[in-house]
Amino acid sequence: MSKTANPYDLLVIGSGAAGLSVALGVLAQKPKARVAVLSKNDLSEGSTKYAQGGIAAVLDAADSTESHIADTLNAGAGICVEPAVRSVVEGAREAIDWLIANGVIFDQEDGGLHLTREGGHSHRRIVHSADATGRAVQTTLEARIRESGAELFEFHNAVDLIREKLPQGRRGRCIGAYALDRRDGRVHRFAAKTVVLATGGASRVYLYSSNPDGSTGDGIAMAWRAGCRVANMEFSQFHPTCLYHPKAKSFLVTEAVRGEGGLLLRPDGTRFMDDYDPRAELAPRDIVARAIDDVMKRMGCECVYLDISHKPAEFITSHFPTVHAEALKFGIDMTREPLPVVPAAHYTCGGVLTDLAGRTDVDNLYAVGEVSFTGLHGANRMASNSLLECLVLGAAAARDIIAKTGAIAEIPELAPWDETWVTDSDEEVVVAHNWDELRRFMWDFVGIVRSNKRLERAKHRVRLLLDEIAEYYGSFRVTNDLLELRNLAMVADLIIKSALARRESRGLHYTIDFPTPDTVAPPQNTILVPKTFSNRRVT
């Protein structure tokens, strides 16, 4: 099946807050634009839906944008790009107003928005919808996109981006993508004048993750293969508190539990965060995650505990209904007892290098949200800045795309997907085995605490896996599992390369070989350049 007869004006790959913000932003100004949205699963099944805490925005007279900027720079451990931080923070109020105008309902207090506080923030500035803000945002934007006239392709997993072929073997602008329809196993062509990657992060590269199963680094891997630079892939954020239970699958316990007075306890009931940081439970996530990891290793325990049972039961159930209900499924009543918690991979702070309009190194290709690197997060993302980035930079990308409307040349016919030399696989166990091996050695060797020896071991293993996956990919018809494994292995390689290149500990990257930040050389972002790097550079 070909979509090239009448190319789309815009192809958005990803259906979370970032992708839908771009699509809706373009359609608001250009209602007749042909817009396609690809979603790997059903439209709602992405990381946005699972974001519990909220959206950081300066809305209190006692707060200020300068304070929010300072908090973000501090959490980023010296390598945030300040213009990016300022741009996103200053766009927060407009983003919240846009969500409210589209129907998102946030918690109210005394006639205004209720603001909570999370780790790293010096003020209450988290706008939220109970403890299910992401779900409120996702369901509202999904409703808007379904009534917008956009063409929606659910259960379509993008395989690769397509770049225009130029003389002398050069590659030009992005003109579309191939995507696997997971329902019939066929690969389709989608031609488009502009393509936006909004595929989220890559936290499923680790054995334990708070992310949904689809967070496999697809956009980062596709952009790298297409010739885009990536940056700061060594900074994988581990959320300190995910529910620990053999039957609980990656359930995140929101940061706001600590923000509202929750205490972290050893198995013997004693507090420990005061031993690691003067901010205690309100320290940034990297510090809290390392502290929990240290306690677990020192004591040989499988988890620590998060206790907010000293608060009134009504306060807990009204502020944290989602967490309370989920814990009850496993026989844990957080109004009466502490929650068992462990760290889990949560957010990819690095990604595809972009400017503040979402433009990548490849013409007509944008990246927005967790898939991208703008410089906002630096070496550690501060809580509730992620949805904010999706919204502010989604709107910026939409404005840039609209400004270019009419100036983009016609799209040539795309070559059909070639399956001439491949067959159906009769060894799916190979994919399952490699998937398991990859995530286990990434957790063991490239996790919360690293060393050169561990990283070298991981480097050797991922190279073997990449060769094996490439051979398998070239021999058999693609499946969803194979595509995700291929992308995860490539992203793992980028993470390992970046971690080996940083010879210091900073933010989320902690290595026992270089346990302190480098105070001699100015702090730098880690930028990797593919062999197929485009001539155009993001400025």
Side-chain angles (χ1 to χ4, degrees), residues 201-314:
S203 289
R204 278 288 165 185
V205 77
Y206 289 102
L207 183 60
Y208 302 110
S209 171
S210 67
N211 287 190
D213 291 341
S215 298
T216 51
D218 304 330
I220 296 170
M222 286 190 293
W224 176 258
R225 290 193 292 266
C228 295
R229 291 171 295 166
V230 301
N232 283 14
M233 290 300 295
E234 69 269 38
F235 297 120
S236 296
Q237 185 178 76
F238 290 81
H239 195 287
T241 54
C242 285
L243 187 64
Y244 178 76
H245 189 279
K247 294 184 179 179
K249 186 180 180 182
S250 308
F251 183 76
L252 181 152
V253 178
T254 175
E255 191 104 6
V257 173
R258 286 184 285 125
E260 294 293 345
L263 304 175
L264 285 166
L265 308 175
R266 299 181 181 93
D268 63 8
T270 59
R271 292 182 65 190
F272 59 86
M273 277 310 304
D274 285 327
D275 298 336
Y276 293 88
D277 192 277
R279 291 165 290 187
E281 279 78 9
L282 291 177
R285 289 176 175 176
D286 59 324
I287 294 172
V288 179
R290 278 200 303 276
I292 294 173
D293 183 70
D294 188 58
V295 168
M296 289 171 60
K297 286 177 178 175
R298 287 178 182 274
M299 299 189 69
C301 54
E302 295 181 323
C303 66
V304 297
Y305 294 87
L306 178 59
D307 188 14
I308 197 170
S309 62
H310 51 276
K311 291 279 190 176
E314 184 180 356

Side-chain angles (χ1 to χ4, degrees), residues 83-103:
V85 176
R86 184 169 296 278
S87 177
V88 172
V89 169
E90 290 178 347
R93 182 179 290 272
E94 183 179 349
I96 298 299
D97 289 343
W98 182 76
L99 287 176
I100 293 172
N102 274 281

Side-chain angles (χ1 to χ4, degrees), residues 58-73:
V58 175
L59 302 174
D60 189 336
D63 196 4
S64 69
T65 56
E66 295 305 319
S67 176
H68 189 177
I69 290 167
D71 290 344
T72 301
L73 294 173

Side-chain angles (χ1 to χ4, degrees), residues 170-459:
R170 294 179 297 119
R171 296 194 297 168
R173 57 186 172 147
C174 184
I175 55 174
Y178 294 112
L180 171 71
D181 186 336
R182 296 177 56 188
R183 295 164 298 189
D184 63 15
R186 297 175 60 193
V187 176
H188 306 299
R189 294 170 282 172
F190 289 81
K193 296 178 180 179
T194 300
V195 178
V196 175
L197 292 171
T199 53
S203 289
R204 278 288 165 185
V205 77
Y206 289 102
L207 183 60
Y208 302 110
S209 171
S210 67
N211 287 190
D213 291 341
S215 298
T216 51
D218 304 330
I220 296 170
M222 286 190 293
W224 176 258
R225 290 193 292 266
C228 295
R229 291 171 295 166
V230 301
N232 283 14
M233 290 300 295
E234 69 269 38
F235 297 120
S236 296
Q237 185 178 76
F238 290 81
H239 195 287
T241 54
C242 285
L243 187 64
Y244 178 76
H245 189 279
K247 294 184 179 179
K249 186 180 180 182
S250 308
F251 183 76
L252 181 152
V253 178
T254 175
E255 191 104 6
V257 173
R258 286 184 285 125
E260 294 293 345
L263 304 175
L264 285 166
L265 308 175
R266 299 181 181 93
D268 63 8
T270 59
R271 292 182 65 190
F272 59 86
M273 277 310 304
D274 285 327
D275 298 336
Y276 293 88
D277 192 277
R279 291 165 290 187
E281 279 78 9
L282 291 177
R285 289 176 175 176
D286 59 324
I287 294 172
V288 179
R290 278 200 303 276
I292 294 173
D293 183 70
D294 188 58
V295 168
M296 289 171 60
K297 286 177 178 175
R298 287 178 182 274
M299 299 189 69
C301 54
E302 295 181 323
C303 66
V304 297
Y305 294 87
L306 178 59
D307 188 14
I308 197 170
S309 62
H310 51 276
K311 291 279 190 176
E314 184 180 356
F315 175 90
I316 295 170
T317 55
S318 63
H319 280 70
F320 310 111
T322 304
V323 179
H324 179 254
E326 187 71 16
L328 280 179
K329 293 179 183 177
F330 306 105
I332 305 166
D333 184 352
M334 65 186 290
T335 67
R336 302 175 63 183
E337 59 189 321
L339 297 166
V341 294
V342 292
H346 181 60
Y347 193 87
T348 306
C349 287
V352 183
L353 192 65
T354 75
D355 64 12
L356 294 181
R359 292 175 290 196
T360 71
D361 290 315
V362 175
D363 284 329
N364 298 349
L365 176 65
Y366 293 72
V368 180
E370 191 176 354
V371 68
S372 70
F373 168 81
T374 62
L376 169 64
H377 304 305
N380 183 22
R381 178 182 72 86
M382 191 166 68
S384 289
N385 272 353
S386 54
L387 285 179
L388 178 63
E389 180 184 37
C390 292
L391 298 165
V392 174
L393 293 183
R399 289 193 295 268
D400 195 72
I401 292 166
I402 292 165
K404 292 167 63 176
T405 299
I408 300 175
E410 289 301 312
I411 301 298
E413 179 73 15
L414 304 188
W417 181 254
D418 186 5
E419 292 187 333
T420 307
W421 303 104
V422 299
T423 61
D424 290 325
S425 171
D426 59 357
E427 295 184 349
E428 286 295 320
V429 67
V430 175
V431 174
H433 174 80
N434 287 351
W435 179 284
D436 185 63
E437 180 185 352
L438 173 70
R439 295 173 68 215
R440 284 185 180 277
F441 76 65
M442 285 297 290
W443 181 264
D444 291 339
F445 300 149
V446 200
I448 296 173
V449 177
R450 302 163 178 175
S451 70
N452 282 351
K453 187 175 182 180
R454 294 173 192 164
L455 291 172
E456 288 292 344
R457 285 175 177 168
K459 176 182 174 182

